[in-house]
Amino acid sequence: QQLFNSADVAVVGRFAGSKSLAAVGGNTPVISLLINLFVGLSVGANVVIGNYIGQGKKEKVKESVHTVMAMAVICGVFLLIIGTVLARPILMAINTPDEVLPLAMLYLRIYFVGMPFVMVYNFGAAVLRSIGDTKRPLYALIVSGIINICLNLVLVIVFKLDVAGVAIATVIADCVSASLVTYFLMTGDEMVRFNPKKMSLKKEQVIKIIKIGAPAGLQGVVFSVSNVCIQSA
């Protein structure tokens, strides 16, 4: 997922110019922080579902799966709203130069549009990993990563969309990875099969997921915060 942003940096650096490179590259620490936070949070989902599977509590497993996916959508939409509103304050807080601020804001706001897809992928992948399926989430990322690179090149070189082009490519790639993982969940193992109509938040599962996932997410954030501080300097 972090390589998506690296691919964006590489393409705009080669084909768009120094301001575009600075705008996209300047967002890297912020994006890394978000990804580390929610990858960590998804660990909570993985552990909770894995425990219920080990205990043979099939109904609790099903409740947890649908709670996890509901949390993914809610958190994703929340981040979409907060990110688009706070993009400018975030970038100003890390001392983004005035000459690249408009481009950096454009990239970050479009990137935040993809946050619901990022959340669905991460939490859906955690569900799959709870049953030992570590390959298909990786395959989904590989496919979406290739799509991201190809769209980057097309949108920047052919359509001259500059920073907006690489951001749009990333959102589309995120959508692909989320769609693939959702498909795997809807057609896979009966134990963790996902039905969108049954999405709901169960208080017991939400608390357990946050209790386990929040510390893991914060651990990842600590390293990202240091990079944000360096970026600011």
Side-chain angles (χ1 to χ4, degrees):
Q1 284 179 303
Q2 293 190 31
L3 284 173
F4 285 14
N5 178 247
S6 299
D8 294 350
V9 170
V11 171
V12 294
R14 175 69 179 82
F15 299 106
S18 58
K19 284 187 178 180
S20 300
L21 174 60
V24 177
N27 278 301
T28 299
V30 177
I31 290 167
S32 176
L33 187 150
L34 287 170
I35 290 173
N36 284 329
L37 174 62
F38 289 104
V39 166
L41 191 57
S42 71
V43 169
N46 179 278
V47 172
V48 169
I49 295 172
N51 277 341
Y52 284 138
I53 291 173
Q55 295 166 13
K57 297 180 178 179
K58 293 184 179 180
E59 286 306 311
K60 290 290 187 181
V61 172
K62 293 181 184 298
E63 283 183 7
S64 299
V65 169
H66 291 92
T67 294
V68 164
M69 297 308 286
M71 286 180 67
V73 173
I74 291 168
C75 290
V77 172
F78 174 76
L79 281 170
L80 165 60
I81 295 168
I82 293 297
T84 50
V85 172
L86 297 182
R88 183 182 179 88
I90 290 170
L91 291 167
M92 290 183 69
I94 61 173
N95 295 326
T96 303
D98 291 339
E99 61 268 25
V100 300
L101 185 60
L103 286 175
M105 284 172 52
L106 177 62
Y107 179 84
L108 193 57
R109 282 176 172 158
I110 296 174
Y111 184 90
F112 269 109
V113 171
M115 287 311 296
F117 304 126
V118 172
M119 296 299 293
V120 168
Y121 169 80
N122 281 323
F123 280 78
V127 174
L128 289 171
R129 288 195 296 270
S130 70
I131 58 170
D133 186 354
T134 59
K135 290 183 179 179
R136 288 193 294 175
L138 177 60
Y139 296 156
L141 269 190
I142 290 171
V143 170
S144 57
I146 293 169
I147 289 171
N148 180 48
I149 292 170
C150 293
L151 285 177
N152 277 346
L153 295 170
V154 171
L155 294 177
V156 173
I157 298 173
V158 179
F159 292 97
K160 309 295 183 183
L161 290 179
D162 204 285
V163 166
V166 291
I168 291 168
T170 299
V171 172
I172 293 172
D174 289 335
C175 180
V176 170
S177 61
S179 299
L180 287 171
V181 164
T182 303
Y183 172 76
F184 296 152
L185 288 172
M186 292 175 67
T187 59
D189 193 301
E190 179 65 31
M191 178 82 73
V192 294
R193 186 162 296 172
F194 171 59
N195 183 345
K197 295 179 180 179
K198 294 182 179 180
M199 278 199 303
S200 63
L201 291 174
K202 300 293 183 182
K203 184 178 178 181
E204 177 188 358
Q205 325 305 347
V206 171
I207 292 172
K208 285 185 176 182
I209 290 166
I210 292 174
K211 280 177 68 176
I212 297 169
L218 289 173
Q219 181 183 5
V221 165
V222 167
F223 296 104
S224 297
V225 166
S226 64
N227 290 331
V228 171
C229 292
I230 292 168
Q231 179 71 27
S232 300

